[in-house]
Amino acid sequence: MVTAKVWVLKKHFEGFPKTSDFDLKKIELPNLKDGELLLESVFLSVDPYMRPYSRRDMKEGDIMIGTQVARVVESKNPAFSVGAFVVARSGWRTHFISDGKGLQLLPSSWPESLPKSLALGTVGMPGLTAYFGLLEVCKMKPGETVLVNAAAGAVGSVVGQLAKIGGGKVVGCAGSDDKVAYLKKIGFDEAFNYKTVPSLDEALRKASPDGYDCFFDNVGGEFTSIAITQMKKYGRIAVCGAISQYNDSVPQKGNYVQVPMIFKELRMEGFIVTRWDNRREEGLKALLKWVMEGKVKCHEQVTEGFENMPTAFIGMLKGENLGKAIVKV
Ligand SMILES: NC(=O)C1=CN([C@@H]2O[C@H](COP(=O)(O)OP(=O)(O)OC[C@H]3O[C@@H](n4cnc5c(N)ncnc54)[C@H](OP(=O)(O)O)[C@@H]3O)[C@@H](O)[C@H]2O)C=CC1
Ligand SMILES: CCCCCCCCC/C=C/C=O
């Protein structure tokens, strides 16, 4: 008999999540039936979407939603052998039983030298978000200037590096000087700390006096209201995330987007990465290749210990992560 530890949403978040909103519980797992397998989580992901999706998809008492890299420890399913690694969407659990549906085996070409946790970051959902957002929503072309915010995070850091591979100029904004130094190290042309610049409007203008062809928006809110005025004619805005708004109890009011959109003839499109699930293999293959060639660099903020899941999640929402926020069990 295996005992799994799980994190439960005790109370729906109000404003910024608190550790007291979560409960750690133990669950006895039954013996395996034919066709089932037992898995243990090795790395778990904490992501911004968990904040808005918890309100939309969960009720109090549910196990927190989320994705992990897990190892098969026992199998009565011929498609999964013991010792294999998969990406699963099984929530915040140390162990779980699956019938195999929805499990994604790590690509067979996954190099031994590459940390498997990258399957939750650069070579996983966040990397795919950057890839399809830039390729299909921004439709970036060589020579264009791309603006990305939350640039030192899981999605943003890949957006900037892919834009460089695609022959663009990249401007990144992030919330600390260390993050800005990292962006310059990984090839961003311009980067600044949006928390310390005297004027965001001026900093954006200085970084690209001619304006921006593409804006990969991870933040929303006031940042967007300011950045939209500096788009070039026919610019494209990929509305990827709105993390500056996820913890608001009262919706923010800001400048309205219609006037700059009309006069600059902009295209602004929201998207969710799962739109391209049918092209997942293509995206992962490209990302894995660029990582192995050293063209895309990865950084992870690893928190040790399953008991620290809520702290890691809250820390990521506060901006404590450089690169992908991961929990190692
Ligand atoms: N549409 C889709 O399919 C997907 C969308 N997303 C979205 O992409 C965005 C980035 O996700 P991800 O890369 O995983 O997360 P990150 O690794 O970038 O972590 C979140 C970062 O957001 C920044 N941040 C937090 N609060 C604020 C704020 N009030 N204003 C500005 N920045 C803030 C912090 O960086 P800093 O120190 O720079 O402030 C923090 O480190 C999120 O909005 C997320 O919801 C992610 C995956 C898929
Ligand atoms: C329970 C795991 C669901 C994983 C779905 C991933 C889609 C993320 C879309 C993100 C949107 C905004 O952050």
Side-chain angles (χ1 to χ4, degrees):
M1 191 79 85
V2 172
T3 304
K5 286 189 234 165
V6 302
W7 276 107
V8 161
L9 178 71
K10 184 160 90 184
K11 197 170 170 309
H12 268 299
F13 307 123
E14 277 161 27
F16 217 90
K18 306 181 285 301
T19 50
S20 58
D21 297 328
F22 301 89
D23 236 355
L24 185 58
K25 295 204 163 162
K26 287 185 179 170
I27 297 180
E28 298 286 330
L29 299 182
N31 291 326
L32 292 189
K33 298 195 212 96
D34 280 344
E36 290 185 336
L37 52 153
L38 172 68
L39 298 110
E40 71 179 358
S41 302
V42 182
F43 299 104
L44 293 112
S45 183
V46 284
D47 296 272
Y49 75 79
M50 292 164 179
R51 174 65 178 88
Y53 277 45
S54 67
R55 177 63 70 177
R56 200 193 67 167
D57 294 349
M58 293 178 64
K59 55 185 188 322
E60 290 174 356
D62 284 352
I63 294 174
M64 276 297 295
I65 48 172
T67 309
Q68 57 267 88
V69 168
R71 194 174 68 89
V72 179
V73 288
E74 201 185 325
S75 180
K76 289 192 175 181
N77 181 325
F80 297 90
S81 44
V82 170
F85 286 86
V86 301
V87 175
R89 290 178 178 179
S90 293
W92 294 16
R93 314 171 190 250
T94 55
H95 298 81
F96 52 100
I97 290 173
S98 164
D99 60 7
K101 285 197 193 99
L103 298 181
Q104 288 148 357
L105 280 164
L106 250 58
S108 53
S109 56
W110 195 276
E112 200 50 49
S113 59
L114 201 66
K116 293 181 173 57
S117 48
L118 292 186
L120 301 174
T122 306
V123 193
M125 185 277 283
L128 292 170
T129 304
Y131 179 85
F132 290 114
L134 200 60
L135 204 70
E136 300 298 342
V137 185
C138 284
K139 297 192 189 298
M140 190 212 102
K141 296 187 280 298
E144 290 192 325
T145 301
V146 178
L147 170 65
V148 57
N149 46 21
V155 175
S157 59
V158 183
V159 169
Q161 296 182 84
L162 297 190
K164 288 309 296 176
I165 291 173
K169 172 184 166 177
V170 188
V171 176
C173 311
S176 78
D177 293 348
D178 283 349
K179 291 185 182 188
V180 169
Y182 175 71
L183 295 179
K184 290 187 175 155
K185 193 171 127 195
I186 63 172
F188 279 59
D189 298 283
E190 302 284 340
F192 63 83
N193 181 344
Y194 70 92
K195 289 184 180 166
T196 55
V197 289
S199 152
L200 180 58
D201 190 55
E202 277 170 28
L204 288 171
R205 207 172 299 283
K206 187 169 163 226
S208 181
D210 296 335
Y212 297 91
D213 301 283
C214 302
F215 172 25
F216 196 108
D217 190 5
N218 289 317
V219 167
E222 194 187 349
F223 192 106
T224 309
S225 300
I226 295 171
I228 201 169
T229 64
Q230 296 199 27
M231 296 301 291
K232 291 188 193 175
K233 200 155 169 101
Y234 308 124
R236 285 89 63 201
I237 302 172
V239 184
C240 175
I243 196 164
S244 71
Q245 296 167 246
Y246 294 168
N247 294 307
D248 289 344
S249 308
V250 179
Q252 294 174 27
K253 282 193 177 159
N255 294 340
Y256 298 109
V257 298
Q258 287 82 355
V259 172
M261 285 199 68
I262 294 164
F263 286 115
K264 301 259 176 75
E265 300 193 53
L266 305 177
R267 193 168 56 75
M268 190 173 193
E269 181 180 350
F271 72 97
I272 294 184
V273 59
T274 48
R275 192 195 302 180
W276 297 279
D277 269 355
N278 61 335
R279 291 174 60 193
R280 205 174 159 271
E281 252 181 66
E282 167 204 322
L284 292 181
K285 196 173 158 206
L287 291 160
L288 185 57
K289 179 170 171 287
W290 285 319
V291 169
M292 291 315 291
E293 289 170 352
K295 290 183 180 159
V296 171
K297 305 266 190 306
C298 318
H299 193 279
E300 296 180 310
Q301 194 76 46
V302 181
T303 301
E304 298 269 346
F306 182 74
E307 66 282 8
N308 293 318
M309 291 285 307
T311 319
F313 174 60
I314 292 167
M316 177 277 302
L317 291 174
K318 283 186 188 158
E320 289 169 4
N321 59 306
L322 175 65
K324 178 73 189 93
I326 293 286
V327 174
K328 185 171 185 294
V329 177

